[in-house]
Amino acid sequence: MLCTSPTKFWKKGFGPIFFYTGNEGDIWTFAQNSGFIFELAEEQQALVIFAEHRYYGKSLPFGLESTQPKKTGLLTVEQALADYAVLITEIKQQYGAADCPVIAFGGSYGGMLSAYMRMKYPNIVAGALAASAPLLSVAGLGDPTQFFRDVTADFQKSSPGCVPAVRKAFQQLEDLFLSGAYDEISSKMATCNKISNKEDVYQLFGFARNAFTMMAMMNYPYKTDFMGHLPANPVKVSCEQILAHTDPIQGLAALVGVFYNSSGLAQCYDIYQLYQSCADPTGCGVGPDAEAWDYQVCTEINLAFSSNNVTDMFPEMPFTEAMREQYCGRKWHVRPRAHWLQINFWGGDLKSASNIIFSNGDLDPWAGGGINSSLSPSLIALTVRGGAHHLDLRGHNPADPPSVTQVRKLEASIINSWVKAAGMERAQERRPGASALSMSIPTASSLPVRLPLQ
């Protein structure tokens, strides 16, 4: 397991430890897109640790064979959390940081893990910031139509004419498919290889839907290179593309190009190379990390979302539990544990936890599957108005909406209070009086025993 450990802000032996629970990818990607943690570390004199999740990035237990079906058994949420617990314990020992409180940070799946760390290892982690963490939907508690409905809503908010244009483009593609006009589909959608059957059309629909998903998630008010090279406000830019075309299908091709062809240099789309269908309808990405994530969503993590062309603008593409079970059995020879996260990590019954911030952006399609109302004085839900996927974890930018600046200040204040409370608690534990008090409590063996009369 790789970890990065910037120490330049740390007040050695006293400052807190900010620990990022790595997601489903190379840890450097997340470190480069989580500037808020470094800004806060400078302010609170913290040690920053970014830990890479097993089976992702360079943390491959079996090298290039790690995602072979017989080598994936150690890829679980529980094992990843145990890795982080061991790493924190070792770092505290090596850095002379035994009394330094640990705050877990994470976004998306990493946000789930940061919350789980606080829930499972409260003796190690004093608090957690779980940004854009879909804790309910991944536990199978969400509405299967929610995700693509909310993607659609993002595009509708951006431009009222966008959604009707998208619907029209998909309907025309459907009509061309039913009439067997594969050449026209291929030409207008600029596919590298000719669309020639129903499977190709379904792949094309998934490929296109994935572009909408990614742009809704990454709908930041400035240019980014996180999970793709995107312009500022990509939802707005992509809507402008489809509305600028008189032909709806060619407009759709231009729209998806905002995500798939940011350089403008690609002459065509290789729809099988650019998008891999998997057990996550919101997209697994491509490459080895995508394979590892596919396995995780085939075992513990539930993402059975469907588009239906009624509550959303996409073609009807169901993905039921039965379909998931069939796919996962064929691909990985496993059966999904549909209710495991509800049992192991409490599902929606989180009230007995403490010291977790659940932040969500109202532009983020994942927000609907997360915690959006505070559950107790220490289980705090924060909403970033005008914010996409874990915008609050990103560093300050002049284009930030006012809401994210306010949310970050509130997060900083809450985290500071947790750090101080943990420090005071540790100090009390070390006072001689406290240990003497505990020693004075009579044990069962020291209590007087009254013998029965003979």
Side-chain angles (χ1 to χ4, degrees), residues 47-339:
L47 170 66
V48 179
I49 303 291
F50 276 77
E52 189 165 77
H53 194 298
R54 59 170 55 199
Y55 283 82
Y56 293 100
K58 294 182 174 61
S59 300
L60 305 176
F62 303 104
L64 297 178
E65 296 182 354
S66 295
T67 52
Q68 295 299 313
K70 292 184 179 180
K71 302 288 180 67
T72 51
L74 298 175
L75 176 52
T76 67
V77 171
E78 296 80 3
Q79 291 278 11
L81 296 176
D83 286 341
Y84 298 152
V86 170
L87 181 58
I88 290 168
T89 304
E90 288 293 322
I91 285 170
K92 281 192 152 196
Q93 184 176 348
Q94 291 182 22
Y95 282 67
D99 295 333
C100 298
V102 178
I103 305 297
F105 292 79
S108 196
Y109 173 50
M112 291 164 47
L113 296 177
S114 68
Y116 294 162
M117 279 296 292
R118 171 60 186 169
M119 292 157 60
K120 193 170 182 67
Y121 298 102
N123 58 316
I124 294 176
V125 172
L129 170 52
S132 298
L135 291 163
L136 302 180
S137 58
V138 297
L141 297 171
D143 175 356
T145 68
Q146 170 266 315
F147 188 87
F148 293 112
R149 181 189 69 220
D150 289 352
V151 171
T152 300
D154 280 350
F155 283 81
Q156 180 66 31
K157 289 175 194 171
S158 177
S159 174
C162 193
V163 168
V166 171
R167 284 184 179 276
K168 188 174 183 180
F170 279 123
Q171 184 58 57
Q172 288 189 5
L173 283 171
E174 185 94 25
D175 293 343
L176 289 173
F177 159 63
L178 292 174
S179 66
Y182 293 122
D183 285 345
E184 189 172 349
I185 294 174
S186 305
S187 173
K188 287 188 174 182
M189 283 299 295
T191 60
C192 296
N193 298 305
K194 181 185 174 183
I195 301 295
S196 59
N197 52 45
K198 181 179 179 180
E199 288 71 29
D200 287 347
V201 173
Y202 204 79
Q203 175 71 13
L204 178 66
F205 285 164
F207 159 84
R209 190 181 67 176
N210 185 62
F212 288 92
T213 295
M214 297 305 296
M215 288 188 285
M217 287 171 56
M218 304 296 119
N219 194 25
Y220 301 126
Y222 46 83
K223 182 181 177 181
T224 57
D225 294 314
F226 179 48
M227 298 177 72
H229 305 290
L230 289 173
N233 305 301
V235 168
K236 179 176 180 290
V237 171
S238 62
C239 281
E240 289 170 352
Q241 287 290 326
I242 193 169
L243 293 173
H245 284 73
T246 53
D247 185 290
I249 297 177
Q250 290 178 338
L252 179 63
L255 182 151
V256 302
V258 175
F259 177 68
Y260 289 116
N261 187 21
S262 58
S263 68
L265 299 176
Q267 298 300 308
C268 61
Y269 300 124
D270 187 332
I271 61 172
Y272 283 96
Q273 184 177 33
L274 292 170
Y275 172 72
Q276 294 177 5
S277 180
C278 68
D280 178 358
T282 73
C284 286
V286 295
D289 289 339
E291 289 291 292
W293 183 243
D294 190 34
Y295 176 80
Q296 285 199 267
V297 292
C298 268
T299 48
E300 297 179 298
I301 295 169
N302 298 275
L303 292 174
F305 293 120
S306 299
S307 58
N308 56 26
N309 200 233
V310 177
T311 59
D312 57 66
M313 61 184 170
F314 303 108
E316 185 177 356
M317 298 177 71
F319 189 67
T320 63
E321 284 296 338
M323 293 170 71
R324 177 188 180 212
E325 197 168 302
Q326 183 180 31
Y327 168 86
C328 296
R330 184 177 68 250
K331 172 76 182 285
W332 296 104
H333 311 296
V334 296
R335 185 175 182 178
R337 304 176 75 180
H339 305 294

Side-chain angles (χ1 to χ4, degrees), residues 22 194 230 257 352 396 403 407 420:
K194 181 185 174 183
L230 289 173
S352 56
H396 167 76
S403 178
V407 164
K420 286 183 176 178

